[in-house]
Amino acid sequence: MSDMVLETRDLHMAFGGLVIFNCMNFALRRGERHAIIGPNGAGKTTFVSLVTGLLKPKSGNVFFDGRIVTNDTPQQRVKAGMVRTFQINSLFKALNPLESVVLALLERDGKARLSLRSVSAETKLIDEAMALLTQFDLARDAYGLTEALPYGKQRLLEIVLAVALQPKLLLLDEPAAGLSTQQGHEVFSQLAHLSKDTAILFIEHDMNLVFRYADVVSVFAAGALVMQDTPENVRRSPRVREVYLGN
Ligand SMILES: Nc1ncnc2c1ncn2[C@@H]1O[C@H](COP(=O)(O)OP(=O)(O)OP(=O)(O)O)[C@@H](O)[C@H]1O
Ligand SMILES: [Mg+2]
């Protein structure tokens, strides 16, 4: 089994005439906590969308867990263990957070076709869901209406739903955006406790979070991977200061 859970080879991406990546080669080890940083418009979100299958590259390949997934749908990639932070969709809006997490756990166990009525019989899953909500400080909101949760808690719930699937790779696009500094640290300290069976790729602008929680940092700028190294080396690099850190 390869050490790498994710690799991209010679990815080329363009929107019309706007070339985003010419030749993106990227690799991420199993269990790694890997941050992508870079200026606005560098292609960070586009890269995550190419990895998860929301976008198709013009050429090149995405390898996940040792297999080419370039032509797989996003749903097939989720099933294979690649999960991106959930968007809160209409299905979950009418449910309370506990029900939502139980549904995610059912999905993980391949039992997603059970009706909500039978959910109430799944006492073990309910306990597990409650434990996850407690871990992310959402226990007191378990029975409230998802829609009525403040924005920060909705972001947290998205992360809990993703974590519930026990992915091999969890992709988070600016998970701390819209959260207070303290909430941001809480989210990341919980993520840091996740089993190393889950690798995490996160885009983040808050350098305190990046330098504290990443094992490896990739710097994207103008469609290229400028540097991929430890947080310490990235922090010290004059080239990175020039393209991004700006001081
Ligand atoms: N669907 C699209 N159609 C056309 N252009 C797009 C599309 N999505 C992104 N772009 C362009 O591609 C470039 C990269 O965008 P992307 O969203 O990947 O940047 P980013 O690094 O995530 O930036 P930010 O830090 O602001 O989130 C930008 O110039 C953007 O305007
Ligand atoms: Mg972005």
Side-chain angles (χ1 to χ4, degrees):
M1 194 164 66
S2 158
D3 258 8
M4 300 300 168
V5 68
L6 175 73
E7 274 184 78
T8 69
R9 290 205 197 134
D10 299 333
L11 271 196
H12 179 84
M13 184 59 189
F15 294 110
L18 179 67
V19 175
I20 309 295
F21 303 117
N22 240 328
C23 183
M24 179 56 84
N25 290 298
F26 183 98
L28 195 156
R29 276 176 207 290
R30 293 178 191 281
E32 193 164 274
R33 274 62 172 134
H34 194 127
I36 297 180
I37 66 172
N40 295 118
K44 304 181 296 296
T45 297
T46 302
F47 180 74
V48 166
S49 296
L50 289 169
V51 168
T52 57
L54 212 64
L55 291 171
K56 277 250 149 59
K58 300 294 174 201
S59 61
N61 275 310
V62 178
F63 293 76
F64 177 64
D65 208 12
R67 215 166 47 80
I68 293 184
V69 295
T70 320
N71 293 312
D72 289 6
T73 63
Q75 290 75 15
Q76 286 171 318
R77 296 182 209 205
V78 172
K79 283 234 179 307
M82 180 197 287
V83 174
R84 186 179 191 158
T85 319
F86 269 74
Q87 303 294 326
I88 294 184
N89 63 33
S90 51
L91 172 70
F92 291 114
K93 275 217 170 128
L95 304 181
N96 67 40
L98 182 63
E99 290 166 331
S100 297
V101 179
V102 171
L103 278 184
L105 292 173
L106 284 167
E107 170 81 33
R108 177 201 65 189
D109 295 348
K111 294 196 263 179
R113 301 206 181 274
L114 282 183
S115 70
L116 256 189
R117 200 201 315 238
S118 50
V119 167
S120 59
E122 300 276 347
T123 50
K124 255 175 128 169
L125 286 188
I126 292 170
D127 289 347
E128 193 181 346
M130 204 59 200
L132 267 173
L133 288 168
T134 305
Q135 190 187 331
F136 284 84
D137 203 22
L138 287 168
R140 266 177 292 144
D141 304 291
Y143 297 96
L145 208 58
T146 301
E147 225 171 5
L149 288 177
Y151 176 78
K153 291 195 167 180
Q154 293 200 9
R155 298 281 324 206
L156 269 180
L157 181 58
E158 286 173 20
I159 291 170
V160 174
L161 293 174
V163 166
L165 295 176
Q166 291 177 344
K168 292 187 184 124
L169 174 62
L170 175 61
L171 300 111
L172 305 162
D173 192 348
E174 302 194 29
L179 302 185
S180 69
T181 307
Q182 193 192 334
Q183 280 176 319
H185 274 281
E186 277 164 17
V187 167
F188 273 94
S189 66
Q190 290 315 321
L191 291 172
H193 288 131
L194 290 182
S195 135
K196 287 285 171 125
D197 294 334
T198 297
I200 303 177
L201 180 61
F202 63 99
I203 300 173
E204 186 52 66
H205 282 290
D206 183 335
M207 288 306 118
N208 290 323
L209 294 172
V210 168
F211 291 131
R212 178 146 178 204
Y213 293 104
D215 309 322
V216 182
V217 180
S218 286
V219 185
F220 283 30
L225 181 56
V226 175
M227 188 175 185
Q228 187 176 82
D229 211 327
T230 60
E232 268 311 297
N233 289 341
V234 165
R235 200 205 300 257
R236 285 201 214 107
S237 157
R239 175 95 178 94
V240 172
R241 276 169 196 260
E242 187 187 316
V243 298
Y244 183 51
L245 297 177
N247 48 37

